[in-house]
Amino acid sequence: MRATATVRDLRDQIRSGRRSAVEVCRETLTRIERLEPSLHAFNSVTTDLALARASELDAQRDRWRDAPLLGVPIALKDNLCTRGVRTTASSRMLESFVPPYNATVVERLCQAGAVVIGKTNCDEFAMGSSTENSAFGPSRNPWALDRIPGGSSGGSAVAVAARMATVALGSDTGGSIRQPAALCGVVGLKPTYGRVSRYGLLAFASSLDQIGPLTRTVYDAAVTLTVLAGADPADATSASTPASDYTAGLTGDIRGARVGVPSSLLENGVEPDVLRAFRAALETLASRGATLVDLELPHARHAIAVYYLIATAEASSNLARYDGVRYGFRAADRPAQAGRHEQTDALRTMYAQTREIGFGPEVKRRIMLGTYVLSAGYYDAYYLKAQQVRTLILRDYDRAFERADVVAMPTSPTAAFKIGERVDDPLQMYLADVFTVSANLAGLPAISVPCGFTTEGLPVGLQLTGRRFHEATLLRIADAYEREAPWHTEEPRISKEVRI
Ligand code: GLN
């Protein structure tokens, strides 16, 4: 086993001295060097920092012995702040922004012995489902280079799928961890709202955003969540509910677990191959002793509309800070026009120019939509109404969890689509999120695990959504499924071809 190993393998190999952290790091960097020109998973690769960190771990082997992520190469979505390392959110606005501090999740990973190897490409400010909204060009799906990897954490999913990182972090506001995980054939976990600190995450929609891992196996997601989870005084929305060792419940035993299936939701718009893989996955769960329960989520069909009102409203407020004054890009100062209010005019022009040049089209579209739904006269009709329907969606889940332990759906209604196919049709793009957004609206944890391939050889994901703070249940069921159906062992050809 080489750099392509899982967290468990790597940690054991390094702990026992069979391999050094530097060796693992070098191999990973070589893989990145070979694959990056075809895949474009990264905005920055932190070669020197990573090697320095790995040799520090090797030099102090005794001190780090029990570190749960010892020597594990980790990639971070480029909307997570890293001290001294450029953090762009894939936007011109932050193209040369170097944060003076680390996100809490970055600190926690480092304390667990991880080696950060780079920052991954994403949709600009995490707005999108394909990475095509990145100011630095799209990432490519390792299973088919002419297709999108999903988004917005597309680079993170590509990096894990092509073994350019063992673990990657993403952020998920409406599906951005789970959907790219599904489309690239890896595991993606969005924890409960509040489970993981968001201090140092560039905010998109603050009532929805969560950080979580993308990994090759469910076990690796469980280890990483154990490292990330817990209260943080720097994030008032982080929960004090105690976190546990999420690997402890991975017994493979799911006898008696109740898996809810909202069948009527799946009647329209789901690709036949996706539906076939999903149904087969349900049978696998049943064969391991789970009970399938048919249920309804009557308001879930409004989830997309509600999400795109609330998320844009919050984004319009969160992105107001990018005005060229405090940090990030500033449009060149223009000579003030003659006139009495030249100072004010110059300032207004600077704001307008900065935002005109600094933001891409999708971000502007959302700021306008969000400003509109919050404006006097429309607030009640749109924003308030959306919040009310959000409560109904939440109650649907409460009711569902009286009869089931988890709710199962396909993660995405389609497999990866072609690059360019939906860029001119934002509504079509938004529909990719039909099964993922309701977990964010309700604040629930949800996981995507690989559940097969389409006839064209594109990965499909199974999504399980659970009760608040019941990540352990999600992980146990997903792990049992993975043992029975080890789709995660498949590797994209482009990745297999790299020999070191
Ligand atoms: N695709 C969704 C959007 O465009 C979700 C993005 C996310 O989760 N960050 O808003």
Side-chain angles (χ1 to χ4, degrees), residues 215-262:
T215 54
R216 296 238 322 279
T217 64
V218 174
Y219 177 90
D220 284 4
V223 185
T224 312
L225 181 65
T226 307
V227 168
L228 300 179
D232 174 11
D235 175 3
T237 66
S238 70
S240 52
T241 314
S244 53
D245 176 356
Y246 291 98
T247 60
L250 306 182
T251 57
D253 183 2
I254 54 165
R255 282 171 297 174
R258 295 167 306 165
V259 176
V261 186

Side-chain angles (χ1 to χ4, degrees), residues 79-92:
N79 61 355
L80 291 164
C81 285
T82 38
R83 184 173 48 238
V85 175
R86 199 169 74 110
T87 299
T88 70
S90 291
S91 180
R92 293 263 169 253

Side-chain angles (χ1 to χ4, degrees), residues 398-480:
D398 285 346
R399 227 160 278 140
F401 290 132
E402 287 168 12
R403 300 180 49 217
D405 300 307
V406 295
V407 173
M409 286 183 261
T411 308
S412 160
T414 68
F417 44 92
K418 293 244 166 79
I419 291 177
E421 200 177 289
R422 297 189 190 176
V423 275
D424 297 325
D425 189 350
L427 282 182
Q428 194 60 29
M429 189 72 93
Y430 297 170
L431 288 177
D433 309 331
V434 60
F435 298 130
T436 48
V437 291
S438 59
N440 302 74
L441 291 168
L444 305 170
I447 193 168
S448 179
V449 0
C451 74
F453 291 85
T454 64
T455 43
E456 286 178 287
L458 301 169
V460 179
L462 163 70
Q463 176 180 237
L464 303 172
T465 304
R467 298 187 184 100
R468 280 170 166 269
F469 298 107
H470 283 236
E471 280 84 356
T473 310
L474 285 185
L475 290 161
R476 183 164 53 86
I477 298 176
D479 168 69

Side-chain angles (χ1 to χ4, degrees), residues 243-325:
S244 53
D245 176 356
Y246 291 98
T247 60
L250 306 182
T251 57
D253 183 2
I254 54 165
R255 282 171 297 174
R258 295 167 306 165
V259 176
V261 186
S263 315
S264 59
L265 258 188
L266 312 176
E267 275 159 16
N268 294 313
V270 184
E271 240 172 46
D273 277 4
V274 170
L275 211 49
R276 198 174 313 129
F278 174 68
R279 294 221 167 100
L282 294 178
E283 277 168 33
T284 304
L285 288 170
S287 76
R288 292 206 54 133
T291 310
L292 303 180
V293 183
D294 200 41
L295 49 77
E296 300 279 332
L297 296 171
H299 301 93
R301 65 200 166 89
H302 303 300
I304 291 265
V306 169
Y307 170 83
Y308 278 95
L309 293 170
I310 294 175
T312 54
E314 294 183 12
S316 72
S317 158
N318 272 327
L319 271 59
R321 73 191 68 170
Y322 303 106
D323 57 6
V325 175

Side-chain angles (χ1 to χ4, degrees), residues 126-129 152 172-176 204 307-308 366 433:
M127 297 175 187
S129 311
S152 63
D172 190 312
T173 306
S176 278
F204 163 11
Y307 170 83
Y308 278 95
R366 296 200 186 197
D433 309 331

